[in-house]
Amino acid sequence: MKILVTGFAPFGGEDINPSWEAVKCLPDEIDGVEICRMEIPTEFGTSGDVVLDFVRREKPCAVIPVGEAGGRKHITPERVAINVDDARIPDNSGQQPVDRPIVEGAREAYFSTLPVRKMIAAIEDAGVPAQISNSAGTYVCNHVMYRLLHEANTAKPPFITGFIHVPYCEEQVTGKNEPALPMKDICRGLEAAVRVVIKEIME
Ligand code: PCA
């Protein structure tokens, strides 16, 4: 059995993206389940394409994409993805869609199929602040979450998926008045959430 956990490339003028830094910290295996890791481009289109290529080829039991949500204080499992790309800033390839459906004619929204409440409890038990989020935004993170949930809706074999946003890490906010967590806390919180997902797929 395997699962896929992805992190994003830095964007918006940052040098690092704590989502990929945290994904890199994960062990290779948890409870006999292989943890596959992938850094994906912060670009509309290609981000979803590379993840779906992997899913169709490798058939993981779960996919956990992780992204940065600057300004948040908690690790936030996302509840819902919506069918719209609407970018406040251009992505890393210069695209800046406005009010564009992600999948023309498909559902307006999908709920996460990850065990969000259990993930929050596990992150908190690891001593890291966690909270549910009711909006993954309308930028590249929501794009990837929506495309995965749309695929999962018909995929055989089935897989569970959703999204986790993490705050800035402390290195990113020196001299700025922005909330952040130490990188080691983001890593510990993410690992706790991944362990819960693995427990869920083993049941
Ligand atoms: N965060 C952005 C895209 C990449 C990332 O790490 C977002 O929240 O959409």
Side-chain angles (χ1 to χ4, degrees), residues 16 18 69-76 123 127-131 165-173 178-190:
I16 61 165
R72 289 192 187 172
K73 296 191 179 95
H74 301 76
I75 294 186
T76 48
I123 298 166
V128 182
Q131 211 171 54
H165 264 120
V166 299
Y168 284 137
C169 64
E170 283 175 343
E171 293 79 348
Q172 288 175 283
V173 299
E178 291 272 12
L181 288 175
M183 198 59 238
K184 64 174 182 9
D185 288 6
I186 300 177
C187 292
R188 202 167 66 249
L190 178 64

Side-chain angles (χ1 to χ4, degrees), residues 8 11 17 19 42 67-69 136 139-142 165:
F8 280 97
F11 70 104
N17 188 320
S19 67
T42 303
E68 164 194 304
Y139 195 52
V140 183
C141 291
N142 174 74
H165 264 120

Side-chain angles (χ1 to χ4, degrees), residues 26-187:
L26 291 170
D28 295 333
E29 194 202 286
I30 294 175
D31 297 337
V33 176
E34 184 190 349
I35 316 290
C36 304
R37 285 163 287 204
M38 194 191 272
E39 185 188 23
I40 61 176
T42 303
E43 294 175 15
F44 291 99
T46 43
S47 52
D49 296 346
V50 295
V51 176
L52 292 185
D53 278 352
F54 181 95
V55 167
R56 290 170 189 159
R57 197 173 60 240
E58 301 287 339
K59 309 199 182 309
C61 305
V63 183
I64 310 172
V66 186
E68 164 194 304
R72 289 192 187 172
K73 296 191 179 95
H74 301 76
I75 294 186
T76 48
E78 296 291 343
R79 191 198 300 270
V80 61
I82 60 175
N83 190 8
V84 62
D85 285 337
D86 188 64
R88 185 179 51 82
I89 55 170
D91 72 6
N92 286 357
S93 69
Q95 299 176 76
Q96 193 169 6
V98 175
D99 296 348
R100 184 175 74 189
I102 298 170
V103 182
E104 195 79 53
R107 268 166 54 173
E108 285 89 348
Y110 287 103
F111 286 125
S112 172
T113 51
L114 298 178
V116 283
R117 292 286 174 199
K118 289 181 191 166
M119 288 155 69
I120 289 164
I123 298 166
E124 286 179 333
D125 283 350
V128 182
Q131 211 171 54
I132 198 161
S133 162
N134 292 308
S135 175
T138 53
Y139 195 52
V140 183
C141 291
N142 174 74
H143 178 95
V144 168
M145 181 182 179
Y146 184 90
R147 288 191 54 194
L148 276 163
L149 282 161
H150 184 66
E151 176 82 7
N153 200 34
T154 53
K156 285 197 189 76
F159 65 94
I160 57 173
T161 189
F163 201 91
I164 301 176
H165 264 120
V166 299
Y168 284 137
C169 64
E170 283 175 343
E171 293 79 348
Q172 288 175 283
V173 299
T174 35
K176 295 184 201 151
N177 191 18
E178 291 272 12
L181 288 175
M183 198 59 238
K184 64 174 182 9
D185 288 6
I186 300 177
C187 292

